Amino acid sequence: NEKKDINFQYFQIKLHSLETKLNSRFLFNALTFIAELIHQDPNKAETAILKVSTFLRNTMDEKALIPLSDELRNVRDYVELENIRFSGKIHMQIDDPIPKIKVPKFSVQLLVENAIKHGFIDKKILEISLSYDPSQNRLILKNNGKAMKSAKFGTGLTNLAQRLKLLCKGKIEITNKVTPTFTIYLGDCHENTHR
């Protein structure tokens, strides 16, 4: 029992560390964007601050796994924030109905952020779509942005891969580099997997 408790505490610390890195990264990027926007358009900067506030309030839940519906609400808030920056050129399509499953917090949001950061082409609408395949319990997110040059994961995707492994015994794969497509295999998601 003592060994199980130590393992569980280690698991919680590692998970918390991964989530803190993600939150810090999002906040840094958002504040940098708002700082630039203050000089260009103070009204848009004010709107952006309110959107960041809403997003942070909705993501402050201590749970590492959240319902997909909550994750998608956060994604919509995030896309609204980015559309202030990109003049409404980011469109998000989510297949209905939304399945009643749990996912690691920030999992879809991180992929949407990645699509915007690496896929956006100036003056073109960025279409991002999300679908769910129940037969393999997987989420598929694709976009029509720039083709991917590398299949190597950066910091954010490595973080997501670690959280998927810890929480779900799942994984993430790049399944198409030309039409950038990511597949999240959810496995069996439980917050207390290691206890």
Side-chain angles (χ1 to χ4, degrees), residues 45-118:
E46 182 180 350
T47 302
I49 289 169
L50 293 172
K51 291 285 178 197
V52 168
S53 174
T54 300
F55 180 84
L56 289 174
R57 190 179 309 113
N58 288 339
T59 58
M60 287 298 191
D61 190 338
E62 291 292 320
K63 294 180 180 168
L65 288 170
I66 61 173
L68 179 60
S69 57
D70 290 356
E71 174 72 4
L72 295 180
R73 179 196 63 205
N74 297 337
V75 167
R76 287 184 189 100
D77 288 342
Y78 176 75
V79 169
E80 284 180 25
L81 174 65
E82 289 289 41
N83 268 326
I84 295 169
R85 182 179 178 186
F86 293 106
S87 305
K89 290 182 179 157
I90 300 159
H91 295 182
M92 183 85 196
Q93 173 65 43
I94 299 167
D95 282 1
D96 278 333
I98 295 167
K100 292 183 178 180
I101 57 172
K102 288 195 173 185
V103 297
K105 186 168 45 173
F106 301 123
S107 52
V108 178
Q109 186 268 333
L110 184 71
L111 292 179
V112 170
E113 181 182 341
N114 194 68
I116 294 167
K117 182 179 178 184
H118 298 291

Side-chain angles (χ1 to χ4, degrees), residues 11-21 62:
F11 164 76
Q12 292 291 352
I13 289 165
K14 187 170 182 180
L15 192 59
H16 182 68
S17 171
L18 290 168
E19 287 179 357
T20 301
K21 285 178 188 172
E62 291 292 320

Side-chain angles (χ1 to χ4, degrees), residues 9-41:
Q9 286 170 10
Y10 172 75
F11 164 76
Q12 292 291 352
I13 289 165
K14 187 170 182 180
L15 192 59
H16 182 68
S17 171
L18 290 168
E19 287 179 357
T20 301
K21 285 178 188 172
L22 276 185
N23 242 343
S24 301
R25 181 179 159 210
F26 165 77
L27 196 53
F28 174 77
N29 290 340
L31 292 175
T32 302
F33 157 61
I34 291 168
E36 292 169 7
L37 198 57
I38 286 169
H39 303 292
Q40 299 165 8
D41 190 332

Side-chain angles (χ1 to χ4, degrees), residues 65 68 98-104 107 130-141 164 167-173 182-190:
L65 288 170
L68 179 60
I98 295 167
K100 292 183 178 180
I101 57 172
K102 288 195 173 185
V103 297
S107 52
L130 178 74
S131 59
Y132 176 68
D133 173 9
S135 67
Q136 295 189 49
N137 194 24
R138 63 184 182 163
L139 291 167
I140 302 159
L141 189 132
L164 278 164
L167 290 165
C168 305
K169 296 179 184 159
K171 62 181 179 175
I172 179 169
E173 291 180 351
F182 290 89
T183 301
I184 295 176
Y185 294 91
L186 289 166
D188 186 18
C189 292
H190 295 289

